[in-house]
Amino acid sequence: MALNVDPALVESATTGDPSLERLIVAVWPEAFRLAASILRDRSLAEDVAQEACATMARSLRTLKDVRTFSSWFYRIVTNHAMSAGRRLRPTVPIDAAAECGTRFDSSDALDLYNALATLPIDQRAAIVLHYYGGLKSSEIAAALGVAAPTVRFRIMLARRALAKALAIPSDTPNEVLSHVR
């Protein structure tokens, strides 16, 4: 589900009034879920979400168009998560996976969760933003700071790798990837 924040709240928060606190409260759950989906570590995801919200608060006045807030905020969270993931390469026992905010419907979802962990972090971020965040490639490109064709290429590579890891036909990963949410 894409981040849905009232542009009036974002606009009001740019002035530094108490709306900033309401904005942070509104975006925190999504920041945490996105970070947890990328990092697979609850504690680290909390730290990353907190850092992302602090960065958002410091940088909000630089946002030129409040309508682009969602992509801009996803970029902040994703950049923090990818940086943390590159530094630490965390792992989580599979029985702790549910604590990270990811829902599982079957053992297939657990396999998918483990397969996601094998992806390079840039592919994992793209696939999570696409399937979990429901973002289009242009929005993911804005969030990751890369070109839309690069995003589509990363998603294609990730889907192929996941299909291979899960031993499913390469033309059916959308059904299996619905479990990313």
Side-chain angles (χ1 to χ4, degrees):
M1 184 167 107
L3 182 63
N4 190 12
V5 177
D6 181 9
L9 177 60
V10 176
E11 183 71 40
S12 178
T14 61
T15 64
D17 71 12
S19 299
L20 179 59
E21 190 172 322
R22 288 196 335 259
L23 180 61
I24 290 171
V25 168
V27 300
W28 168 262
E30 185 69 11
F32 173 73
R33 280 190 290 271
L34 177 58
S37 293
I38 292 171
L39 295 169
R40 296 178 36 122
D41 182 306
R42 181 181 179 82
S43 180
L44 185 57
E46 288 175 353
D47 292 343
V48 164
Q50 185 175 14
E51 290 173 18
C53 286
T55 299
M56 184 255 328
R58 283 191 308 270
S59 305
L60 192 56
R61 292 178 188 202
T62 66
L63 182 63
K64 292 179 173 76
D65 184 353
V66 296
R67 294 174 296 180
T68 64
F69 176 79
S70 293
S71 295
W72 178 79
F73 185 68
Y74 274 129
R75 182 177 188 168
I76 291 170
V77 175
T78 303
N79 284 343
H80 279 286
M82 290 175 63
S83 292
R86 285 185 185 112
R87 284 191 309 268
L88 301 176
R89 303 270 185 215
T91 58
V92 169
I94 198 63
D95 56 347
E99 294 178 19
C100 290
T102 304
R103 295 191 312 260
F104 298 107
D105 298 330
S106 67
S107 62
D108 289 341
L110 295 175
D111 293 340
L112 172 60
Y113 189 78
N114 285 331
L116 281 168
T118 66
L119 295 175
I121 197 147
D122 58 342
Q123 290 178 21
R124 190 179 332 146
I127 208 98
V128 166
L129 287 169
H130 179 72
Y131 287 98
Y132 168 77
L135 301 180
K136 300 178 209 166
S137 59
S138 60
E139 294 169 318
I140 297 169
L144 298 178
V146 298
T150 301
V151 168
R152 290 189 291 273
F153 184 69
R154 288 177 182 177
I155 290 171
M156 178 199 67
L157 290 176
R159 288 175 59 172
R160 285 182 182 171
L162 291 172
K164 184 176 180 182
L166 297 170
I168 59 173
S170 60
D171 60 341
T172 62
N174 284 335
E175 180 181 323
V176 176
L177 287 171
S178 66
H179 294 288
V180 171
R181 298 178 184 169

